[in-house]
Amino acid sequence: MEAKLEFARREIIKPASPAPHDRLQLSFFDVSCPAVYVSTIFFYQSVAGGESPEIISGKLKSSLSETLSRFYPLAGRIEGFSISCNDEGAVFTEARTDLLLSDFLRNNLDDTNNLGEFLPTIAPGESAGTWPLLSVKVSFFGSGSGVAVTVAISHQICDAASLLTFIQSWATANGESNDMVMTTPHFTGATIYPPPHNSFQAPSMDDLFELRGKCVTNRFVFKSSKIADLKRKAASESVPVPTRVEAITSLIWRCATNSSRSNSVAAKSTLMTQAMDLRLRIPPNVLSRDAIGNLQSAFFLKEGAESEMEIGKIVAEFRKAKEGVNEMIEENLQGYNTAGAITDTTLGQNLLSVMGNFISELKPDIDLYTMSSWCKKPFYKVDFGWGTPVWVGSASHTIYDNMVYAMLMDSKDGEDVEAWVGLPKQDMLMFIRDQDLLTYAVLNPPVLI
């Protein structure tokens, strides 16, 4: 049974107080990001107290307005290489369905496209590259059984960690806790990466990623016991104890590459890039954990067309490449111990050099896989005053359906891992039948509450 969400209303929510600054400079990395929305859907079971949708929605809009006063650039508009902090506002949409939350999660997750209804609609003339930079959608399930809150923020100002920081702050403001500590966000993207030159031409997604046709996204759940088995298989002399992310990402890359090869006349080389959160690699007195922006780097691995993609070897290369970037960051920060001093370092330029090396490897005869991990980020602790979510999902793939990617996220118990994988349709047909993958993962299982 489909959710069949019925549109209720759409409003523009403005900050409760004027922006303290007129403009925010974007960094080279910001404007290099595709003009897409980073989004997450939080599903909550029956709201405590039996409040009506009208009351719940009213509180959410009020707390969003207050939160926008502190995250004021999100209420602005991108103009060129900066944000005009003009208090234009964020989009707030409401929708309703008669379907019970438990029925939706039990019966509708076999096709990830069913989640597309929960994304805010992008109206004609709107774009993540201009306005709105923030759009939310609140969807009420039948008989007061639950509510879904979707938050979408432009990737040209936020990465996943920034998205979570904003959501946590909004949820805290909405929860009306007497002891709540309000986050004071720091928009610091241009402190590490320099601003772009006036002549800079931002690359399009088509420039950076070879279009391999329409992609299909599926969700694979790795149970903790299977992850333990996989880690043992992926272990080697150089990496005796792989991490969950190392083992799962390496397996997905191997299986995706094999799927592509099975559909190709001639095998291609394969390239994998893995995003890295700089906040976890730079001391907090230099870069705040709550810093907002695209504060990430990446490393990449390449395997030739004849590579057997042995998982232990991939994990070892993964660890070596990751540690290489970590060591470079540490070396660049020697002697710097304050946030203001980070702009004096060569870190940003060296990180851009890594990006340049990666882009130079992009060629038509190479298959690219973009990997990211949201593991250990506390998405399941986001509480708007109704308790923690019963499930956290994604639906960006229903809009941007030409991206080849894998994104890992913790399950609610913090032990299992959910992998969202997008591949060209013909490759996905092979991927979901790969016994090497299915030994460790379950395809699109229901969520039972």
Side-chain angles (χ1 to χ4, degrees), residues 143-165:
S143 302
S145 59
V147 61
V149 178
T150 306
V151 181
I153 302 181
S154 170
H155 199 350
Q156 295 198 318
I157 187 174
C158 279
D159 54 15
S162 303
L163 172 74
L164 179 58
T165 295

mmCIF file of all heavy atoms in Angstrom, residues 143-165:
data_model
loop_
_atom_site.group_PDB
_atom_site.id
_atom_site.type_symbol
_atom_site.label_atom_id
_atom_site.label_comp_id
_atom_site.label_asym_id
_atom_site.label_seq_id
_atom_site.Cartn_x
_atom_site.Cartn_y
_atom_site.Cartn_z
ATOM 1 N N SER A 143 -4.099 8.182 11.876
ATOM 2 C CA SER A 143 -4.498 7.871 13.244
ATOM 3 C C SER A 143 -3.459 8.268 14.286
ATOM 4 O O SER A 143 -3.323 7.619 15.332
ATOM 5 C CB SER A 143 -4.807 6.360 13.373
ATOM 6 O OG SER A 143 -5.817 5.990 12.461
ATOM 7 N N GLY A 144 -2.702 9.321 13.998
ATOM 8 C CA GLY A 144 -1.691 9.784 14.952
ATOM 9 C C GLY A 144 -0.583 8.785 15.189
ATOM 10 O O GLY A 144 0.083 8.814 16.224
ATOM 11 N N SER A 145 -0.363 7.875 14.202
ATOM 12 C CA SER A 145 0.603 6.784 14.414
ATOM 13 C C SER A 145 2.047 7.218 14.285
ATOM 14 O O SER A 145 2.948 6.501 14.739
ATOM 15 C CB SER A 145 0.329 5.654 13.422
ATOM 16 O OG SER A 145 0.428 6.116 12.082
ATOM 17 N N GLY A 146 2.289 8.369 13.681
ATOM 18 C CA GLY A 146 3.671 8.799 13.556
ATOM 19 C C GLY A 146 3.821 10.005 12.658
ATOM 20 O O GLY A 146 2.854 10.511 12.072
ATOM 21 N N VAL A 147 5.049 10.491 12.567
ATOM 22 C CA VAL A 147 5.363 11.659 11.744
ATOM 23 C C VAL A 147 6.759 11.479 11.155
ATOM 24 O O VAL A 147 7.639 10.883 11.783
ATOM 25 C CB VAL A 147 5.280 12.959 12.584
ATOM 26 C CG1 VAL A 147 6.272 12.932 13.737
ATOM 27 C CG2 VAL A 147 5.521 14.191 11.728
ATOM 28 N N ALA A 148 6.924 11.956 9.927
ATOM 29 C CA ALA A 148 8.237 11.953 9.288
ATOM 30 C C ALA A 148 8.699 13.390 9.111
ATOM 31 O O ALA A 148 7.924 14.242 8.668
ATOM 32 C CB ALA A 148 8.182 11.243 7.938
ATOM 33 N N VAL A 149 9.940 13.662 9.455
ATOM 34 C CA VAL A 149 10.524 14.991 9.278
ATOM 35 C C VAL A 149 11.703 14.856 8.317
ATOM 36 O O VAL A 149 12.671 14.154 8.606
ATOM 37 C CB VAL A 149 11.005 15.594 10.613
ATOM 38 C CG1 VAL A 149 11.648 16.963 10.382
ATOM 39 C CG2 VAL A 149 9.854 15.699 11.604
ATOM 40 N N THR A 150 11.603 15.519 7.173
ATOM 41 C CA THR A 150 12.667 15.500 6.175
ATOM 42 C C THR A 150 13.356 16.856 6.157
ATOM 43 O O THR A 150 12.695 17.897 6.113
ATOM 44 C CB THR A 150 12.105 15.213 4.773
ATOM 45 O OG1 THR A 150 11.335 14.020 4.810
ATOM 46 C CG2 THR A 150 13.226 15.058 3.764
ATOM 47 N N VAL A 151 14.668 16.838 6.210
ATOM 48 C CA VAL A 151 15.453 18.076 6.157
ATOM 49 C C VAL A 151 16.398 17.981 4.971
ATOM 50 O O VAL A 151 17.149 17.004 4.833
ATOM 51 C CB VAL A 151 16.253 18.296 7.459
ATOM 52 C CG1 VAL A 151 17.035 19.603 7.384
ATOM 53 C CG2 VAL A 151 15.319 18.305 8.666
ATOM 54 N N ALA A 152 16.359 18.994 4.104
ATOM 55 C CA ALA A 152 17.216 19.039 2.922
ATOM 56 C C ALA A 152 17.955 20.375 2.899
ATOM 57 O O ALA A 152 17.334 21.432 2.964
ATOM 58 C CB ALA A 152 16.377 18.869 1.660
ATOM 59 N N ILE A 153 19.289 20.333 2.822
ATOM 60 C CA ILE A 153 20.119 21.538 2.812
ATOM 61 C C ILE A 153 21.044 21.487 1.601
ATOM 62 O O ILE A 153 21.567 20.433 1.248
ATOM 63 C CB ILE A 153 20.948 21.674 4.105
ATOM 64 C CG1 ILE A 153 20.038 21.699 5.338
ATOM 65 C CG2 ILE A 153 21.802 22.927 4.071
ATOM 66 C CD1 ILE A 153 20.786 21.853 6.660
ATOM 67 N N SER A 154 21.261 22.632 0.980
ATOM 68 C CA SER A 154 22.132 22.700 -0.187
ATOM 69 C C SER A 154 23.527 22.178 0.139
ATOM 70 O O SER A 154 24.143 22.571 1.133
ATOM 71 C CB SER A 154 22.242 24.146 -0.679
ATOM 72 O OG SER A 154 23.256 24.261 -1.667
ATOM 73 N N HIS A 155 24.032 21.304 -0.755
ATOM 74 C CA HIS A 155 25.373 20.757 -0.570
ATOM 75 C C HIS A 155 26.434 21.842 -0.760
ATOM 76 O O HIS A 155 27.594 21.651 -0.370
ATOM 77 C CB HIS A 155 25.600 19.620 -1.564
ATOM 78 C CG HIS A 155 26.719 18.683 -1.202
ATOM 79 N ND1 HIS A 155 27.609 18.944 -0.178
ATOM 80 C CD2 HIS A 155 27.100 17.498 -1.735
ATOM 81 C CE1 HIS A 155 28.479 17.936 -0.102
ATOM 82 N NE2 HIS A 155 28.197 17.067 -1.032
ATOM 83 N N GLN A 156 26.060 22.982 -1.313
ATOM 84 C CA GLN A 156 27.046 24.042 -1.534
ATOM 85 C C GLN A 156 27.316 24.863 -0.272
ATOM 86 O O GLN A 156 28.137 25.770 -0.296
ATOM 87 C CB GLN A 156 26.602 24.939 -2.691
ATOM 88 C CG GLN A 156 26.572 24.181 -4.017
ATOM 89 C CD GLN A 156 26.569 25.070 -5.233
ATOM 90 O OE1 GLN A 156 25.881 26.085 -5.254
ATOM 91 N NE2 GLN A 156 27.322 24.692 -6.248
ATOM 92 N N ILE A 157 26.647 24.509 0.812
ATOM 93 C CA ILE A 157 26.952 25.144 2.101
ATOM 94 C C ILE A 157 27.116 24.110 3.216
ATOM 95 O O ILE A 157 27.725 24.399 4.242
ATOM 96 C CB ILE A 157 25.854 26.166 2.496
ATOM 97 C CG1 ILE A 157 26.263 26.951 3.749
ATOM 98 C CG2 ILE A 157 24.506 25.515 2.680
ATOM 99 C CD1 ILE A 157 25.313 28.067 4.106
ATOM 100 N N CYS A 158 26.618 22.901 3.019
ATOM 101 C CA CYS A 158 26.628 21.903 4.094
ATOM 102 C C CYS A 158 27.058 20.529 3.612
ATOM 103 O O CYS A 158 26.714 20.111 2.503
ATOM 104 C CB CYS A 158 25.225 21.763 4.702
ATOM 105 S SG CYS A 158 24.824 23.031 5.903
ATOM 106 N N ASP A 159 27.793 19.831 4.481
ATOM 107 C CA ASP A 159 28.029 18.404 4.301
ATOM 108 C C ASP A 159 27.152 17.653 5.306
ATOM 109 O O ASP A 159 26.304 18.256 5.979
ATOM 110 C CB ASP A 159 29.517 18.068 4.465
ATOM 111 C CG ASP A 159 30.096 18.576 5.786
ATOM 112 O OD1 ASP A 159 29.315 18.932 6.701
ATOM 113 O OD2 ASP A 159 31.340 18.612 5.915
ATOM 114 N N ALA A 160 27.338 16.347 5.411
ATOM 115 C CA ALA A 160 26.473 15.547 6.284
ATOM 116 C C ALA A 160 26.595 15.958 7.745
ATOM 117 O O ALA A 160 25.599 16.014 8.471
ATOM 118 C CB ALA A 160 26.811 14.065 6.123
ATOM 119 N N ALA A 161 27.818 16.250 8.200
ATOM 120 C CA ALA A 161 28.006 16.650 9.596
ATOM 121 C C ALA A 161 27.321 17.984 9.873
ATOM 122 O O ALA A 161 26.733 18.186 10.944
ATOM 123 C CB ALA A 161 29.499 16.741 9.920
ATOM 124 N N SER A 162 27.368 18.908 8.907
ATOM 125 C CA SER A 162 26.682 20.198 9.068
ATOM 126 C C SER A 162 25.178 19.999 9.131
ATOM 127 O O SER A 162 24.481 20.639 9.931
ATOM 128 C CB SER A 162 27.018 21.122 7.893
ATOM 129 O OG SER A 162 28.398 21.332 7.763
ATOM 130 N N LEU A 163 24.667 19.126 8.268
ATOM 131 C CA LEU A 163 23.239 18.807 8.263
ATOM 132 C C LEU A 163 22.803 18.327 9.640
ATOM 133 O O LEU A 163 21.797 18.792 10.194
ATOM 134 C CB LEU A 163 22.954 17.739 7.205
ATOM 135 C CG LEU A 163 21.551 17.131 7.171
ATOM 136 C CD1 LEU A 163 20.558 18.121 6.578
ATOM 137 C CD2 LEU A 163 21.541 15.835 6.352
ATOM 138 N N LEU A 164 23.572 17.416 10.215
ATOM 139 C CA LEU A 164 23.235 16.864 11.529
ATOM 140 C C LEU A 164 23.299 17.937 12.611
ATOM 141 O O LEU A 164 22.421 17.992 13.487
ATOM 142 C CB LEU A 164 24.161 15.702 11.863
ATOM 143 C CG LEU A 164 23.948 15.037 13.220
ATOM 144 C CD1 LEU A 164 22.529 14.506 13.358
ATOM 145 C CD2 LEU A 164 24.958 13.918 13.442
ATOM 146 N N THR A 165 24.308 18.796 12.560
ATOM 147 C CA THR A 165 24.426 19.866 13.552
ATOM 148 C C THR A 165 23.201 20.768 13.528
ATOM 149 O O THR A 165 22.648 21.131 14.578
ATOM 150 C CB THR A 165 25.697 20.703 13.297
ATOM 151 O OG1 THR A 165 26.846 19.879 13.508
ATOM 152 C CG2 THR A 165 25.774 21.897 14.240
#
